[in-house]
Amino acid sequence: MSANLLSIRNVGKHFGGLHVLHDVSFEVPAGCIYGLIGPNGAGKTTVFNLVTGLLAPSSGSIDFRGESLLGLAPHRITQRGVARTFQNIRIFKEMDLLENVMVGRHEHLKYGGAGLFFNTRAYRAAERRARERALELLTWVGLAHKADMLADNLSYGDQRKLEFARALATEPKLLLLDEPVAGMNPAEKTVLMEEIRNIRERGYGVFMIEHDMRFVMGVCDRIAVLNFGRIIAEGTPDEVRNNPEVIEAYLGKEDAA
Amino acid sequence: MMDWLPGNFSDFWSTYSTLVFSVGVHALLALSIWLTLSCGLLSLANAAFMGIGAYVSALLTLHLEWSFGTVLLAGGIAPAVVALIIGAPVLRLSGVYLAMATLAFGEVVRITVLNLEITGGPEGLNGIPLATEGWHIALLLALTVYGLARLRRSKVGRAFEAIKEDEVAARLMGVDVDRYKLLAFVLGGFIAGIAGALNAHFTFFISPREYGFENAVDILTMAVLGGTSGLVGPMLGASILTLLPELLRSLHDFRSLVNGAILVLVVLFLPKGIWEPRRIRNWLNRNKGKPA
Ligand SMILES: Nc1ncnc2c1ncn2[C@@H]1O[C@H](COP(=O)(O)OP(=O)(O)O)[C@@H](O)[C@H]1O
Ligand SMILES: [Mg+2]
């Protein structure tokens, strides 16, 4: 198995005549927090949609742990160990928090129809374990005391945390976070940064899209910069920060602001 | 058989047993459509599934004289197999397109039955032996409610709910969305088919008229009126819509008008149906807070 969790090679994507990604290549190493940055509309979320199988690339290849993800249905890709959160939060609003996270346990519950109907011991044990794991994850993101609340009633920041716990419930090897701190206050951002570091310590890979420069530079081990669908720089935060093209395309504006 | 009961009960039973049986059968039908609704599918194939169950079981009884238990099972399996076959292409549609496709399927079934020799064409099938007894319906309804209640609390129920709320998010949680939609569709077909088989064996007579567009809408109305957030709602809706026409006999000719009006009023004023546990709980809590 290669040391890279995720390899994206020469990926292009167009929607009809609209070319969104051109010849995008980069590698996300294992045990690493990897950042993907770039201006709005650069094509970052599209990269996530390709990796998770919601869209198919027009060209190129996407490998996860040495195996191609192309042609796999999204739920198969999740089962291989890729989980994600969404830029526009997509929690299950009419379910309580515990149920939300337990949906993430779906693939790990191995009982069949008979166990379910007859309420067998194995069935009850599996459900209990799923419940415990879900509570553990809710505790970890600090939402355990709201476990039986409807997700719809959560604040914006809490909804992001819930999505985070739900994604982790699938036991991913690689977690994709699409603008995880958008809408959070600085204190919440610091807490989340710690949690993301924690995740890496636990051996997960993290691949995140983020706008907040300070946050990205502070937390990521490596960064790729996307501009108008092309990778214009890739490397450590320092390398990226000093890249003239990046400064012009992205950081320059940020500094001026 | 009933002479040990007080006279007025036997009188009541001989007059109203068909009505009580109908409540049970309609409850099964409302639960069958609840299954697809619970994962966000507006499928209107249940009347046709019921018809397939009714005809298959009646024909097996009339021509092959199979035992009633086997006939009931076959009445459930036949529409389930049909659901399995048409499910893959049809369930790719969503919303109103799925409703239209399933209604079209219902018409195909009705017209087929209307034109076949073996189904008796427009005259239907006559002289189906009376085999259904009250306890058959009670037992099958109880088993269905139990099974669905277990399903609801399991990973299957959570998957259905997740699909209903956000299909994309459900997929990315590892849920095989297409498979679970097909499961809801096929199980719904099975339950509707059994309801049809039970029905055929206490009405003596079945005809294509009973399984058309109007009946499909009736079944939907029952579930929506009662409320689809749980299992009580569809059964309550089925009871109300079965008993109401009896109570308002003078309105009998306007039955579908009344049903339509009820559907519109419920959608407007009680979008979650009559039986909405969360609303009822909130309402009770509010009243508890008030001084007596
Ligand atoms: N499914 C789609 N169909 C058509 N155009 C799309 C689709 N998804 C994204 N785009 C377009 O691709 C471009 C990049 O979008 P996106 O990947 O969301 O950017 P970012 O996440 O970097 O802000 C935008 O112009 C967007 O309108
Ligand atoms: Mg985006």
Side-chain angles (χ1 to χ4, degrees), chain A residues 52 54 75 78-79 84 86 90 92-95 102 104 106 109 111 116-117 119 123 127 150 166, chain B residues 146-147 150-151 153-155 158-159 161-162 165-166 168-169 171-176 180 272 278:
Chain A
T52 52
L54 292 180
H75 68 273
T78 303
Q79 289 162 15
R84 81 178 272 189
F86 297 88
R90 307 185 81 141
F92 305 121
K93 295 188 166 167
E94 297 287 311
M95 297 168 98
M102 283 179 79
H106 183 84
L109 285 163
Y111 54 75
L116 182 160
F117 189 84
N119 198 15
Y123 165 85
E127 279 282 311
L150 273 197
R166 190 183 65 175
Chain B
Y146 172 79
R150 301 244 17 108
L151 199 74
R153 306 185 51 200
S154 71
K155 68 169 180 180
R158 290 191 296 270
E161 172 84 31
E165 286 200 42
D166 189 331
V168 169
R171 280 183 207 283
L172 290 175
M173 289 298 107
V175 175
D176 188 343
Y180 277 95
K272 296 201 162 169
R278 198 163 282 137

Side-chain angles (χ1 to χ4, degrees), chain B residues 196-239:
Chain B
L198 286 168
N199 189 61
H201 289 82
F202 73 76
T203 53
F204 191 71
F205 159 77
I206 56 176
S207 80
R209 259 194 315 274
E210 295 156 52
Y211 310 109
F213 171 77
E214 229 175 80
N215 309 82
V217 175
D218 279 352
I219 296 172
L220 177 68
T221 312
M222 290 172 194
V224 172
L225 168 69
T228 53
S229 56
L231 299 175
V232 176
M235 291 192 283
L236 183 67
S239 310

Side-chain angles (χ1 to χ4, degrees), chain A residues 20 37 60 65 70 72 162 170 207 210 219:
Chain A
V20 173
I37 64 174
R65 304 172 84 215
L70 297 190
L72 291 182
L162 175 61
T170 65
F207 178 19
E210 190 43 67
V219 74

Side-chain angles (χ1 to χ4, degrees), chain A residues 45 87 178-179:
Chain A
T45 298
Q87 185 174 352
D178 198 344
E179 307 204 10

Side-chain angles (χ1 to χ4, degrees), chain A residues 15 18 20 38-47 49 55 87 179 209:
Chain A
F15 299 102
L18 180 67
V20 173
N40 254 329
K44 304 180 298 294
T45 298
T46 303
V47 170
N49 288 341
L55 296 173
Q87 185 174 352
E179 307 204 10
I209 293 171

Side-chain angles (χ1 to χ4, degrees), chain A residues 209-224:
Chain A
I209 293 171
E210 190 43 67
H211 256 321
D212 185 326
M213 272 315 190
R214 206 183 307 263
F215 186 80
V216 171
M217 295 295 173
V219 74
C220 290
D221 303 306
R222 287 187 81 78
I223 295 171

Side-chain angles (χ1 to χ4, degrees), chain A residues 180-194:
Chain A
V181 297
M184 287 191 179
N185 63 40
E188 284 177 320
K189 283 183 188 179
T190 315
V191 171
L192 195 73
M193 201 189 307
E194 266 326 297

